[in-house]
Amino acid sequence: MARRAGLRLQPGTHCTGTMGSMSWFRPRSPVLRWGLWSLCGLAVLLVAAFVALLVWLPGDDELARRVEHEVQARTGVAVQVGAVSWRLLPTPMAEVRDVRTVQDEPITIARVAVWPRLGWGTLRDRNWGLARLEVDDAVLPRLSVRAFRSDKRGLGDRHPVDHVVLRRVTYVSWSGVPLAYDADIRFDAGWRPREALVSRSDAARPTLLRLTRQGDEDRWRAHAEAGGGSGEGELTLTETTDGLITVQGSFEPRRVEVQSAIAAFKRRSPLAGLASGRTRVHAQGTSPGELGRSLRTESDLTVEQGVVLRLDIDRAVKSLGREREGQTKLDTLSGRVVTQNTGQGGMRVTYSGIQATAGGYKAEGEATVYRRHVSAKGSLDMAGGAVDVPFTVEGPTRKPDFRIAPGFYAGAAVGTAILPGIGTVIGAKIGGLLGRGDAAPSTSKPASSPPARPPAPRSR
């Protein structure tokens, strides 16, 4: 067997026992002898290189200072880094902790971890970048994030990160409301998401958006969940040669509980009920940031089991607008809702073509909500449309003023004095037409002679 292996045993030498001396091991083949010496030399070089690497690489404190210097040099924003650590095995990675920008409203990040791309393909194509990026427990104030905007147009052909994982990343909007998100996104070339899942971290009910790319097309199947309901749709992306990006698509939400869906974004809804319909989405810009700032949605919705919260319409009308606490159950509700990110002052929400019925009332109107302020106007039809009550709603969203045109009450009082019954209805109708657009504030004092109450709605 020893001969077959190309080895020669000296007389008196045995293969058993310890291997303290390897004088017995003498490869007969020059090629094998050369290979063994080369292998030993390579092992020595690897050990020497590893030792040199440990000596050459800076310590954790020096790495932290280098990261601070590099970020400030690239962005112009000073940062403070608490600690940096790294490892080579089992896979190379680096971790940065306790990052804080030096700004009036600092960006804070508890942890950032990165794994570099490895493999012969990366070396061959020089496709340097990160295989994975993780960010945990970050707070991003809107004004502070603006300092990191890039002037680069378009998405480009490459992508520096293959896989991004975000955990509890909180964005603080213009209104000061902090919203925490989780995300898991895998990218193809050109920053095209192969798969993406974005969700609200601390929402009481699942609130999420899932995207799945259709082959290699710039088209994604979309699935959204909010308020116990869901919506299916599709999004498309186009990019011009000069870097202008357009994203558009549509969803079909089904039985989304309005109050719960809005509460997931820490807003107070004026309405409860199950919304269904169709939503169109459009955004345009030269960067992902501009896409977000230009986002616009248009929704044609109908609401089942609708309830107007914090407003009793019947009570407000009968008390001349002085009393309004309560709720109003709606028989039907439909209309169009348009949301528009403004970039500077948050989101503007516009309601148009709103039509609602509740018992003997029928309402039509429009409204705008922007920067925590609501401005609305419309009309209430009573007595089967015989009486038209113009109204406005104005003020902070938490407690707006409900106002009714004073001509409505004056006309009703005159009509009652001349001819009770039908005279009240006619007088109220004329007074409402004369007073349209001139609503009296709910805090106004009643006249010395209280006007007659408006007629009760006819029973159905």
Side-chain angles (χ1 to χ4, degrees):
M1 183 180 294
R3 183 181 300 276
R4 192 180 307 166
L7 305 177
R8 182 174 60 191
L9 297 179
Q10 297 295 327
T13 304
H14 303 280
C15 291
T16 59
T18 62
M19 297 179 61
S21 173
M22 295 189 65
S23 61
W24 59 271
F25 187 73
R26 297 178 180 177
R28 178 181 300 176
S29 170
V31 176
L32 182 57
R33 189 184 306 118
W34 178 85
L36 288 174
W37 279 109
S38 299
L39 183 61
C40 293
L42 179 61
V44 172
L45 288 175
L46 288 176
V47 172
F50 182 75
V51 173
L53 180 65
L54 293 179
V55 174
W56 175 78
L57 283 176
D60 293 349
D61 289 340
E62 186 178 349
L63 271 177
R65 305 293 82 78
R66 286 191 181 184
V67 171
E68 292 175 350
H69 176 76
E70 188 68 20
V71 172
Q72 183 170 1
R74 289 177 176 271
T75 66
V77 178
V79 299
Q80 299 171 346
V81 175
V84 177
S85 59
W86 58 274
R87 70 168 188 241
L88 292 178
L89 299 175
T91 56
M93 65 90 67
E95 188 175 75
V96 182
R97 290 188 174 273
D98 302 325
V99 179
R100 183 184 183 90
T101 63
V102 182
Q103 295 173 287
D104 293 338
E105 296 181 85
I107 296 172
T108 61
I109 307 175
R111 173 180 176 269
V112 179
V114 296
W115 287 258
R117 288 183 184 138
L118 299 174
W120 292 113
T122 299
L123 296 175
R124 181 187 66 246
D125 302 333
R126 297 184 178 181
N127 188 22
W128 316 117
L130 301 178
R132 183 181 177 93
L133 166 68
E134 293 184 2
V135 178
D136 295 340
D137 299 301
V139 178
L140 310 176
R142 182 186 70 90
L143 291 178
S144 301
V145 171
R146 294 178 61 186
F148 292 87
R149 289 183 182 177
S150 173
D151 295 331
K152 182 180 178 181
R153 295 177 62 90
L155 298 175
D157 297 330
R158 296 179 179 269
H159 60 293
V161 185
D162 297 332
H163 188 189
V164 175
V165 177
L166 308 179
R167 304 183 187 95
R168 300 172 301 280
V169 173
T170 301
Y171 179 74
V172 184
S173 65
W174 174 90
S175 60
V177 177
L179 296 176
Y181 293 90
D182 295 337
D184 192 319
I185 309 172
R186 297 180 184 273
F187 289 100
D188 288 338
W191 285 111
R192 268 64 170 175
R194 169 57 56 185
E195 296 177 334
L197 174 62
V198 181
S199 61
R200 279 278 292 111
S201 304
D202 52 1
R205 307 177 76 172
T207 305
L208 59 87
L209 172 65
R210 187 189 305 274
L211 299 177
T212 305
R213 192 176 187 185
Q214 304 300 286
D216 292 329
E217 300 180 45
D218 285 343
R219 183 167 54 89
W220 289 262
R221 186 173 66 252
H223 170 82
E225 295 181 17
S230 63
E232 305 294 332
E234 184 177 272
L235 295 176
T236 62
L237 181 149
T238 58
E239 183 176 2
T240 62
T241 55
D242 62 348
L244 181 63
I245 312 160
T246 302
V247 174
Q248 54 189 354
S250 63
F251 290 86
E252 293 187 356
R254 290 291 177 265
R255 298 182 66 81
V256 175
E257 209 296 303
V258 177
Q259 186 177 15
S260 175
I262 294 179
F265 295 92
K266 298 184 180 181
R267 298 292 196 275
R268 296 181 71 200
S269 173
L271 182 72
L274 301 175
S276 301
R278 184 176 179 83
T279 297
R280 293 164 296 281
V281 179
H282 184 272
Q284 193 172 66
T286 59
S287 67
E290 284 191 10
L291 289 176
R293 291 188 292 273
S294 69
L295 180 63
R296 176 185 177 91
T297 69
E298 297 181 5
S299 303
D300 294 312
L301 301 172
T302 59
V303 179
E304 305 172 43
Q305 305 171 24
V307 178
V308 178
L309 305 174
R310 300 183 295 279
L311 175 61
D312 187 331
I313 295 178
D314 185 68
R315 187 178 182 184
V317 171
K318 292 180 178 179
S319 67
L320 308 178
R322 290 191 300 270
E323 299 176 5
R324 60 178 181 272
E325 298 298 328
Q327 298 181 348
T328 302
K329 292 185 177 181
L330 302 176
D331 300 325
T332 64
L333 175 63
S334 63
R336 169 170 288 191
V337 182
V338 177
T339 68
Q340 175 68 63
N341 281 354
T342 63
Q344 299 297 326
M347 178 182 292
R348 177 184 287 109
V349 183
T350 303
Y351 304 84
S352 61
I354 302 298
Q355 296 185 350
T357 59
Y361 296 99
K362 179 180 179 182
E364 297 180 351
E366 58 188 30
T368 299
V369 179
Y370 183 53
R371 292 189 173 185
R372 300 181 182 179
H373 186 277
V374 59
S375 177
K377 63 180 180 179
S379 63
L380 284 171
D381 288 342
M382 296 165 30
V387 179
D388 184 13
V389 185
F391 69 88
T392 62
V393 180
E394 193 81 27
T397 53
R398 285 189 172 273
K399 196 172 183 180
D401 287 332
F402 181 83
R403 308 180 182 187
I404 296 175
F408 164 76
Y409 297 109
V414 173
T416 301
I418 297 175
L419 183 63
I422 187 65
T424 304
V425 173
I426 296 175
K429 185 73 173 178
I430 296 174
L433 292 173
L434 293 176
R436 183 179 296 275
D438 183 21
S442 60
T443 55
S444 60
K445 297 182 179 180
S448 57
S449 177
R453 289 180 177 270
R458 294 184 298 187
S459 60
R460 294 186 173 182

